[in-house]
Amino acid sequence: MAHYLDADTSVLEMMKRTLRWRCLAPQAPDTLGAFAFRDRDPFTLDETPHVYFVGNQDSFETELLEEDGVRVRLVSLPRFSETGTIVLVDLDTLECVPMTFDGGLGVAPKTQPSQMDTGLEA
């Protein structure tokens, strides 16, 4: 989808658009390896999700918005193989924080562990 938009369109903006359109893959099946379904489009959303994420992105980004009366946490997940970064989402509050590991991947930590209460003891 990014190929068809302005270069300065952010990942979060693309996510907002697909959420409003209720279509996760608006270019399918024209430019994706997908095929049309007879009774239902598997890429359409019937309900508004509480967490909407996309992976394999250049960097971590997040935004909390309200869509159709539902709070939605948008999360852009960076490539784990390059960043060692995961994202923790509190499903009660929708608070979202990145956490970076250096588990022998040769990746230097870019973020500090969160202050979020995970319920786990140190």
Side-chain angles (χ1 to χ4, degrees):
M1 190 170 119
H3 300 292
Y4 304 103
L5 299 172
D6 295 329
D8 61 342
T9 303
S10 72
V11 172
L12 292 178
E13 181 58 34
M14 287 186 266
M15 292 175 72
K16 288 178 201 176
R17 290 179 186 184
T18 59
L19 186 62
R20 286 186 190 112
W21 297 334
R22 298 287 192 239
C23 187
L24 301 176
Q27 69 275 32
D30 297 335
T31 61
L32 289 177
F35 56 91
F37 284 73
R38 180 178 300 229
D39 300 324
R40 180 177 180 284
D41 184 347
F43 299 115
T44 58
L45 295 172
D46 297 327
E47 298 179 19
T48 303
H50 293 283
V51 179
Y52 178 24
F53 62 91
V54 295
N56 204 32
Q57 301 303 305
D58 293 332
S59 63
F60 166 74
E61 294 180 63
T62 187
E63 185 174 330
L64 186 62
L65 62 97
E66 189 162 322
E67 191 71 27
D68 294 333
V70 177
R71 290 180 346 146
V72 181
R73 171 61 70 182
L74 304 178
V75 183
S76 167
L77 298 166
R79 292 174 191 86
F80 183 79
S81 62
E82 294 176 11
T83 65
T85 300
I86 64 168
V87 176
L88 302 175
V89 178
D90 183 322
L91 297 179
D92 291 328
T93 65
L94 297 181
E95 180 182 0
C96 180
V97 292
M99 182 180 258
T100 302
F101 297 94
D102 182 12
L105 298 173
V107 178
K110 295 182 183 178
T111 59
Q112 297 300 317
S114 161
Q115 296 299 316
M116 182 174 83
D117 180 13
T118 61
L120 301 175
E121 294 187 27

